[in-house]
Amino acid sequence: MSQISSSSKKGVFSATVLANRQIGQRFHRLRLEFSADGARAFAQFKPGQFTQVDLSSAALPPEQDTPADLLDASRRELLLRRPFSFADVTAEGDKTFAELLYCVVGPATLRMTTLSSGDRVSIIGPLGNGFRILGDKKTALLVVGGMGAPPLQHLAKTLTSEHAEIEVVAFAGAKAASELPFEGRLDEISQQLGFSLPEFTKYGINSIVATDDGSAGYRGLVTDRLQQWLDEKSGLTPDSVIIYSCGPEAMLAKVAEIARDKGIDCQVSMERRMACGIGLCQSCAVECRVDDSSQTTYKLCCEDGPVFDGREVVFV
Amino acid sequence: MSERVDLSVDFAGLRLANPVFTASGTCGYADELGDFMDVNCLGGFTTKSITLKPRKGNPTPRIVETDAGMLNAIGLANIGLERFIEEKLPVLERMTPAVFVNVAGETIGEYVAVAERLATEQAVAGIELNISCPNVEKGGISFGTEPAQVREITAAVKKAAANRLLMVKLSPSVTDIAAIARAAVESGADALSLINTFTAMVVDIETRRPVLANRTGGLSGPAIKPIAVHLVNKVYREVTKDTGTPILGMGGIRTASDAIEFILAGASAVAIGTWSFIDPGCAAKIVEGLRSYCAAKDIANISKLVGSLEAGRNLAH
């Protein structure tokens, strides 16, 4: 029943930057082009898979353009690559285009902001296992927390283009409107008018926004909004629904709990500090239950994940 | 000229195609690097640490990046001896590099049991004795900081696996690494590998806690390279030059130039560790870089470079 999105031939590829566009206070979208072997490898990139990007040779922005809270971070040297998923991947002819949505949080993403059209970036991928699309589902709920957006935007595209029979609804939550990594108006008025997140609207998907402070959409946790939505949809058959989620671990834990209580399948995309992304360093351990027993084992986020079944993960 | 360069080295009686290894814990169990390079271009391969029983390893975070380096505290997570023999050895057997299996344990008895079993396997050229892991409560480094302990465990493992090469991996977190090296060599070590990581800590100033769940981890990467070169040279001058024991030198190597520094300082072979995380094909590039260096310098056999530091001041700078 499950269609395993296995990783295709991975490798180290050079991508060309086509654009690097700021879409919010700390959010940017990097458009990348792969050609030749890289184009072939990334044409197979599945939603939920990830890449390891080398930003060590990218320049820092001038000090006056560096946010005050990142000045210390800007003085740090970079050694390791950084893991990123893609928000969109499109193969066109002999090129593959990818959209990398990022938030400026530290020394690597600070350097990423200075990349400009024509720059080359070394990227390892495609890595890990993506979301599994199950054929027996009629409804897919995408639950995004903050910067968990990219793989679910990519999944939204794949679901609507390849599985038109599945109804998709997106939920997006953050502390405040300014921490939602989407373009366009996110304020309360827009929500009341039924204004939906353009990243999902373009695929014909309705989105429900929640912020802790009420600065956009529903005031409260996105998981409360999910719970409420499910409670109101009394006609849903749990077997026909699947939840896909990516975001902070506390949110994923709650999503997994809601799914379990409702008897709904749930896949969560996990995040861990990782050095290599290819199974060498063993640092990205995710504690998982062994077959419903009280035993647990560590799986690797990079190779066994980053997408896991919500029931197997022992959340931190 | 470059095709005429002989990169082969004698390593405790083993003829290696070239002096480049991948370091334990950075290259998986067998062919995990195969997507990124031809692993058969290596001279040697050291596996991830194997223990008698499988180990889950430490909770996360297990790593943190530092300037020019990183800390890891994996905690010897591994699949255990039996699964290693069943699943990984057949893959290793088909590979051409000399295979050293890194062995760890909590007691001398465990080290001995693993070594004894591995010594019956054709695919295993040697054992790398891990008495320098800084990230486990029992075993690991606790066997590697006192010469008397080093003598006891080295002799016991050598006896249990007398028909295989024994390479002892040394910690830099000791007062006198040469004293440890001497203890290992005098107790039966056929080779030494150095250095393992330095015990280190990074603090999160927001939460006022160590970043790593294990509190401390082992520092590796370019940051430690000059210290590693110094320690290799110290052990070479004070111990192994006289005994003829080969050194597998490692610590922050990312280029052929780095590797040559180690070789000049006294290493017969070198291992690539942390840099494989960033560039998983780098070991193959370093093999080619060594070839180019020898060709440019008209060096017919790379083994001539081992320990060939010139005496006197360097007037080039």
Side-chain angles (χ1 to χ4, degrees), chain A residues 249-291:
Chain A
E249 190 150 340
M251 184 202 85
L252 296 180
K254 186 69 190 170
V255 170
E257 183 190 319
I258 292 170
R260 195 187 53 227
D261 290 349
K262 297 267 181 200
I264 294 173
D265 277 333
C266 173
Q267 294 174 21
V268 294
S269 176
M270 301 292 292
E271 186 172 41
R272 284 289 180 272
R273 284 172 186 266
M274 53 178 74
C276 70
I278 54 177
L280 304 175
C281 73
Q282 309 269 318
S283 55
C284 57
V286 174
E287 191 172 14
C288 290
R289 291 180 186 84
V290 180
D291 306 327

Side-chain angles (χ1 to χ4, degrees), chain A residues 9-12 52 54 72 75-82 107 124-125 127 272-287 296-298 300 303 316, chain B residues 25-29 32-36 48 56-70 74 77-78 211 220-222 254 274-280:
Chain A
K9 179 84 178 149
K10 61 192 174 221
V12 186
Q52 280 275 50
D54 182 4
D72 283 7
R75 300 203 165 84
R76 291 262 341 281
E77 297 290 325
L78 279 195
L79 178 81
L80 302 171
R81 290 169 181 264
R82 295 295 193 269
I124 299 181
L127 300 174
R272 284 289 180 272
R273 284 172 186 266
M274 53 178 74
C276 70
I278 54 177
L280 304 175
C281 73
Q282 309 269 318
S283 55
C284 57
V286 174
E287 191 172 14
T296 66
T297 185
Y298 284 120
L300 293 183
E303 281 201 320
V316 174
Chain B
T26 63
C27 54
Y29 294 105
E32 285 88 338
L33 282 168
D35 282 324
F36 301 94
K48 178 159 186 52
K56 279 170 71 175
N58 292 328
T60 56
R62 291 177 171 185
I63 60 151
V64 58
E65 186 183 63
T66 60
D67 287 316
M70 60 173 278
I74 308 303
N78 79 93
V211 170
S220 67
R254 53 179 158 172
T274 299
W275 205 252
S276 291
F277 297 159
I278 292 108
D279 179 2

Side-chain angles (χ1 to χ4, degrees), chain A residues 3-5 42-49 86-91 97 130-135 137 140 142 149-169 199-200 202-205 242 244 267:
Chain A
Q3 161 190 333
I4 302 289
S5 40
F42 280 93
Q44 305 300 317
F45 186 94
K46 303 284 190 296
Q49 285 192 292
F86 288 143
D88 191 11
V89 176
T90 313
F97 301 95
F131 292 107
R132 293 171 300 283
I133 298 174
L134 309 175
K137 303 300 176 191
L142 314 182
L152 294 176
Q153 287 181 35
H154 188 196
L155 180 64
K157 179 187 183 182
T158 303
L159 283 171
T160 48
S161 62
E162 295 172 20
H163 302 271
E165 73 286 358
I166 301 179
E167 186 205 6
V168 186
V169 179
E199 283 84 347
F200 292 108
K202 69 177 174 184
Y203 304 126
I205 294 172
I242 182 158
Y244 296 104
Q267 294 174 21

